[in-house]
Amino acid sequence: MAEFTLELNDDQKQVRDWLHGFAADVIRPAASEWDEREETPWPVIQEAAKVGIYSLDFYAQQFFDPTGLGIPMAMEELFWGDAGIALSIVGTGLAAVGVLANGTEEQIGTWIPQMYGDADDVKVAAFCSSEPDAGSDVASMRTRAVYDQAKDEWVLNGTKTWATNGGIANVHVVVAVVDPELGSKGHASFIVPPNTPGLSQGQKFKKHGIRASHTAEVVLEDVRVPGHCLLGGKDKLDQRLARARERAATGGERVKNAAMATFEASRPAVGAMAVGTARAAYEVALDYAKTRTQFGRPIIDNQGIAFQLADMRTQIDAARLLVWRASWMATTGKPFESAEGSMSKLYASETAKKVTAQAVQILGGNGFTREYPVERMHRDAAIYTIFEGTSEIQRLVIARTLSGMPIR
């Protein structure tokens, strides 16, 4: 078991510097253009694929880093470059995590490579969980999956929303209800292969931030997928459903559903994304405060500005420490007994919103214009307190874990 450390080793530092260089040289110069266009930055994704950043091998290396710091380190550097473009580069990872968390070895080996494609033919994937009436309330999910035993096929019907890469993905991972009586315990995840009839893109959302990342509805109309596209397999599903029914009848312990297993694995990574955006805004504000003069001196000479920057840096470092702790715990198999994963996502996302707002304030009128990147960073930061579990949901998870009570 790797010991927890705050010092990156030489290999990790080399990867960090490589990613930082890509973020500085490729992502940042393209950030404003793709934010304005509100389109998927395919050329940037392809550049990331060419150098090996957008690839299964790269994410596997970071995912299996024994210290647990590979993924959060990578997320922070890429999102330091730009949140919208970075999310387009890493968005496929959520679908991949869904397969890793719930799939068999054969499914992992079959589908994850198809999610990425290669440098000459880049692909993306989508994880589809949220619905118009079921965001945080996963028990209200309506998308149904019905098993056709005669054909060994699952038939999916419903509408998913807020899906990153939804509709444009090569592979969709869809969470659906297989047993409505079990609520959130009656869910399962399915692979929808490329070009499957019945799957279509619904509304594409025009968003406040992360505009370079494609977000849309996914409509499923009598979508038929082979039995082997049920993640984990039917035997495992039947066993899990039987346990859930038994526990429901006896009032036993709760069973985690497929979507929550994916989100628990990814929350520290989202926290790292937020740290990257916050750090970027802080650095712009610090540089600006050193060079902007008012009343004959740099504005950082004023305590009102200097103290804000001190607080910003302190909060960013604290957020990173929470993210690193949760990532290390997840990798080394330590249980989140105090909801450390949710803690890291909660604090980092709230820090990103606060720090980017302070950066806009420090830049004053300039910070309110698109001539300076903090305006975009502030818009981008709003998403961290919303997706993959709102801040309110994170607080609920933490409070329930600490108290053992069914807090509502």
Side-chain angles (χ1 to χ4, degrees), residues 73-243:
M73 178 190 65
M75 295 301 105
E76 179 176 339
E77 294 305 327
L78 292 173
F79 280 74
W80 172 89
D82 176 69
I85 292 178
L87 190 57
S88 289
I89 294 173
V90 308
T92 293
L94 185 58
V97 169
V99 176
L100 285 168
N102 302 295
T104 64
E105 290 187 7
E106 182 179 359
Q107 290 170 331
I108 292 169
T110 298
W111 296 110
I112 293 184
Q114 295 187 46
M115 294 179 175
Y116 288 94
D118 55 48
D120 295 323
D121 187 19
V122 170
K123 305 293 186 182
V124 294
F127 183 76
C128 308
S129 176
S130 294
E131 298 184 1
D133 296 319
S136 299
D137 183 12
V138 294
S140 297
M141 190 178 294
R142 296 180 181 177
T143 297
R144 290 293 307 275
V146 178
Y147 185 57
D148 183 343
Q149 187 171 3
K151 295 184 178 181
D152 186 26
E153 292 179 339
W154 289 89
V155 185
L156 280 62
N157 281 282
T159 299
K160 294 296 182 179
T161 194
W162 311 124
T164 299
N165 297 330
I168 66 170
N170 193 50
V171 176
H172 291 76
V173 178
V174 177
V175 182
V177 179
V178 294
D179 189 333
E181 294 182 0
L182 292 176
S184 63
K185 304 176 190 68
H187 296 175
S189 293
F190 299 84
I191 292 286
V192 180
N195 304 314
T196 299
L199 184 147
S200 62
Q201 178 183 307
Q203 176 187 4
K204 177 186 175 182
F205 296 104
K206 297 181 71 66
K207 304 187 298 296
H208 175 67
I210 56 169
R211 294 177 178 177
S213 174
H214 176 97
T215 310
E217 291 181 330
V218 174
V219 180
L220 304 135
E221 298 178 309
D222 290 330
V223 173
R224 286 183 169 269
V225 299
H228 61 76
C229 287
L230 166 64
L231 290 181
K234 194 167 187 305
D235 289 344
K236 184 177 179 181
L237 172 65
D238 289 342
Q239 293 170 10
R240 179 167 62 81
L241 294 178
R243 291 195 301 270

Side-chain angles (χ1 to χ4, degrees), residues 311-381:
D311 287 342
M312 291 159 72
R313 176 58 185 268
T314 300
Q315 291 158 4
I316 291 167
D317 281 13
R320 183 184 297 108
L321 290 175
L322 285 171
V323 167
W324 282 18
R325 179 184 69 168
S327 301
W328 173 77
M329 290 178 68
T331 297
T332 56
K334 293 185 178 296
F336 288 161
E337 295 180 351
S338 299
E340 287 87 352
S342 288
M343 282 184 184
S344 69
K345 198 266 186 186
L346 170 66
Y347 189 79
S349 60
E350 293 290 342
T351 293
K353 281 188 68 175
K354 183 176 181 180
V355 166
T356 55
Q358 288 176 299
V360 170
Q361 187 69 25
I362 288 172
L363 269 67
N366 286 327
F368 200 66
T369 71
R370 296 187 184 180
E371 298 300 314
Y372 288 79
V374 292
E375 178 272 340
R376 184 181 67 253
M377 294 168 182
H378 182 44
R379 285 189 285 107
D380 291 341

